[in-house]
Amino acid sequence: MLSASARTLHTLPEDQPDLAAMRKWVGSLLGDLPEDVRLDVLLVCTELASNSYEHATGPRAVRVRRYVDHIRVEVDDHTPASLPQLGESRLGNSRGRGLMLIAAISRCWGTREMVGGKTVWAEVAA
């Protein structure tokens, strides 16, 4: 299990997302948390990772950082120019709700540009 103030990294597959494996990995890190918190973190991880496959290029990685009062999820990709926008989808009107879900579940979320890519992150209260 991931102790307070610790972090760990999981590299995502290049071509096809294996979200089940990622969720299993994250769940194993946070097994001691209350179920509602753990499920919120899993949903945030799934949405952020799915967005990285839908809207960006790899390589991709998921980082989970555990603090005393929150869990921070970060997903890196290599598409710097494509920063996510809340409620906007280039894929049509029936899409674009993932970030709204993340915004509702998380205490905060955002993006950070990095050399050759970006990080999209969210924090869930623990």
Side-chain angles (χ1 to χ4, degrees):
M1 281 186 255
L2 189 61
S3 63
S5 299
R7 74 175 188 166
T8 192
L9 178 76
H10 179 75
T11 303
L12 294 169
E14 185 65 33
D15 296 330
Q16 291 291 327
D18 189 349
L19 299 178
M22 180 203 63
R23 289 173 62 88
K24 183 176 180 180
W25 170 75
V26 172
S28 71
L29 296 175
L30 306 175
D32 64 322
L33 290 176
E35 184 178 19
D36 59 334
V37 173
R38 196 171 58 253
L39 291 175
D40 285 350
V41 172
L42 289 172
L43 179 57
V44 166
C45 284
T46 301
E47 286 296 328
L48 291 179
S50 295
N51 283 350
S52 76
Y53 281 96
E54 191 80 37
H55 304 286
T57 61
R60 299 167 187 88
V62 175
R63 230 175 349 275
V64 177
R65 296 178 183 201
R66 184 170 179 174
Y67 299 92
V68 174
D69 63 341
H70 69 279
I71 309 299
R72 183 179 175 107
V73 176
E74 300 176 337
V75 175
D76 300 335
D77 65 50
H78 281 77
T79 306
S82 181
L83 295 176
Q85 299 293 319
L86 186 64
E88 293 181 20
S89 175
R90 63 178 176 75
L91 302 173
N93 291 336
S94 65
R95 306 294 299 272
R97 295 186 186 100
L99 282 179
M100 292 190 324
L101 253 160
I102 290 169
I105 292 170
S106 304
R107 67 182 203 168
C108 58
W109 73 275
T111 60
R112 181 178 68 243
E113 291 186 71
M114 63 179 182
V115 175
K118 69 179 172 299
T119 300
V120 184
W121 57 269
E123 294 179 358
V124 176

